[in-house]
Amino acid sequence: MKFSGSPHYVASPDLLLAVNAAITLQRPLLIKGEPGTGKTLLAEEVAAALGIPLLQWHIKSSTKAQQGLYEYDAVSRLRDSQLGDERVRDIGHYIVQGVLWQAFTAEQPLVLLIDEIDKADIEFPNDLLRELDRMEFHCYETRQTIRARHRPLVFITSNNEKELPDAFLRRCFFHYIQFPDPATLRRIVGVHFPGLKDELLTAALKAFLELRQLPGLKKKPSTSELLDWIRLLLAEDIPPQALHGKEQQLVVPPLAGALLKNEQDAGLLERLVFMNQRHR
C-alpha cells in the first residue's frame, strides 16, 4: 500500500512521506497540529484512497483503554440467568467487541483511527502499548488470545492537550501538520469551492490571514473555520469589497462569528478596529 494523495484532501509532500513511512515501518502514525487542520480527515481520505475500510475510535475524557479491546456485559448475563435463558452457558454471548478487536479480526487490512488520544486519562496511552506493539491481546473471560490477522494502518491524532508518554511516542511515527501557507490555503479552498471567483477568494484569504496575525488572540481561526466562513459568504452573497475597509484598513468582517469563537477575541478585534479608525 502507498498513499499518493486524494482529490478531496490537499496533503503536503512531508505529510505524504509521513503516511508512507508509517505504512513501511508498520507503526502507528501520530498526527499533531492545530484543531481544524485536517488530522481526522486524513485517516478518512487515506482509507478511501487505498480502498480499504475505516474504523474510528473517538476518545473522550472518560474513555478507558479496555473499551477498545472488549467489555464484559455482566449485567445482561445476570438478567438472562434470572430468566432461565440458555445463552448464559456461553460467556461469549456477553463479550462486546471493541474497536481494536474488530480491527484485529477483520478479513482485510483497514485503517484504524484513534482520534484525540490526549483527551483521555494520562495512563490511557500506556495501557495500549502492548496491544499496539504486538497486535494482540488476551480475553480472560473466554480464555482466548486475539491476534491481528492483518496489521491495521493506525492513525492517532492529538491536539496537544496532554503530553504523551515517551514509551508510547517511541512506538509511533510522528508528524506535525503545519498551518497551511497562503498558496496551500488557495488549493484547499479550491478543492471545496471549485467555482469560487478569484476576487472573493483573494479578499477572503487576506482578511482571514490578517485576523490570524492579530496579537493577543485566544484562539486563532482554523482552516475548517475558513471553509465555513466562505460557505456563508457565498450563501449570503457577500461582495469582496465588504471584507476590507477603505484603503485596505482592518474591519470586523461580515459573519465574523464563523471565525472568532469567544467574546475576548471578538472584543479584541473591535477595539483594534476602533483604534485603527481613530488614528487615520
Side-chain angles (χ1 to χ4, degrees):
M1 294 188 295
K2 186 170 184 178
F3 179 57
S4 56
S6 160
H8 308 294
Y9 187 94
V10 177
S12 67
D14 286 346
L15 182 54
L16 293 177
L17 193 62
V19 172
N20 290 313
I23 294 174
T24 301
L25 293 173
Q26 294 189 324
R27 290 186 180 275
L29 177 59
L30 174 61
I31 300 287
K32 291 187 178 183
E34 290 184 30
T37 50
K39 300 186 295 296
T40 300
L41 186 59
L42 173 64
E44 298 173 3
E45 290 299 325
V46 169
L50 298 180
I52 58 178
L54 170 69
L55 278 179
Q56 302 187 49
W57 187 12
H58 298 287
I59 307 303
K60 302 177 182 179
S61 59
S62 59
T63 303
K64 301 300 180 185
Q66 181 64 32
Q67 294 171 318
L69 306 178
Y70 68 91
E71 292 183 273
Y72 169 46
D73 190 355
V75 174
S76 292
R77 193 182 190 197
L78 175 60
R79 183 186 63 243
D80 288 347
S81 68
Q82 293 170 338
L83 296 175
D85 195 320
E86 288 296 320
R87 291 190 306 168
V88 297
R89 298 180 182 276
D90 183 0
I91 197 172
H93 289 305
Y94 305 95
I95 299 296
V96 181
Q97 296 181 4
V99 175
L100 287 177
W101 186 316
Q102 297 172 45
F104 287 3
T105 57
E107 296 290 339
Q108 65 180 105
L110 49 74
V111 171
L112 170 62
L113 170 64
I114 304 176
D115 198 27
E116 298 188 330
I117 193 171
D118 53 324
K119 281 188 175 180
D121 183 86
I122 189 62
E123 291 303 321
F124 180 90
N126 282 330
D127 292 342
L128 288 179
L129 283 180
R130 180 184 177 87
E131 288 74 14
L132 291 178
D133 196 29
R134 298 195 178 186
M135 287 287 148
E136 66 177 38
F137 64 90
H138 189 72
C139 178
Y140 295 96
E141 286 78 6
T142 61
R143 299 179 183 179
Q144 62 183 133
T145 298
I146 309 301
R147 295 185 176 89
R149 296 182 180 181
H150 308 277
R151 179 178 283 267
L153 176 55
V154 181
F155 285 79
I156 302 172
T157 70
S158 169
N159 289 325
N160 247 355
E161 292 183 10
K162 293 190 186 80
E163 287 294 325
L164 299 174
D166 289 344
F168 181 82
L169 295 174
R170 185 172 61 81
R171 289 165 168 81
C172 299
F173 189 91
F174 170 75
H175 183 78
Y176 185 89
I177 298 181
Q178 299 287 346
F179 191 82
D181 58 29
T184 304
L185 279 176
R186 278 184 168 271
R187 291 174 57 204
I188 292 171
V189 174
V191 166
H192 293 270
F193 304 99
L196 186 64
K197 292 182 179 179
D198 187 69
E199 186 181 4
L200 178 59
L201 173 58
T202 300
L205 287 181
K206 183 176 184 299
F208 172 76
L209 291 172
E210 286 179 349
L211 201 58
R212 276 187 56 88
Q213 292 168 1
L214 291 180
L217 278 185
K218 185 176 181 181
K219 180 194 176 303
K220 294 182 179 181
S222 68
T223 309
S224 63
E225 288 159 344
L226 169 64
L227 297 175
D228 289 343
W229 186 49
I230 291 178
R231 184 174 291 109
L232 290 173
L233 294 178
L234 291 172
E236 298 297 328
D237 198 22
I238 303 294
Q241 297 78 14
L243 305 185
H244 53 77
K246 294 179 180 179
E247 301 178 357
Q248 303 296 315
Q249 289 188 340
L250 182 68
V251 297
V252 177
L255 304 164
L259 300 173
L260 300 178
K261 300 302 178 71
N262 60 71
E263 62 276 14
Q264 295 96 320
D265 289 347
L268 172 65
L269 177 59
E270 290 173 357
R271 290 193 299 274
L272 290 174
V273 169
F274 177 73
M275 293 170 59
N276 186 272
Q277 291 173 347
R278 284 188 60 185
H279 291 87
R280 281 191 300 176

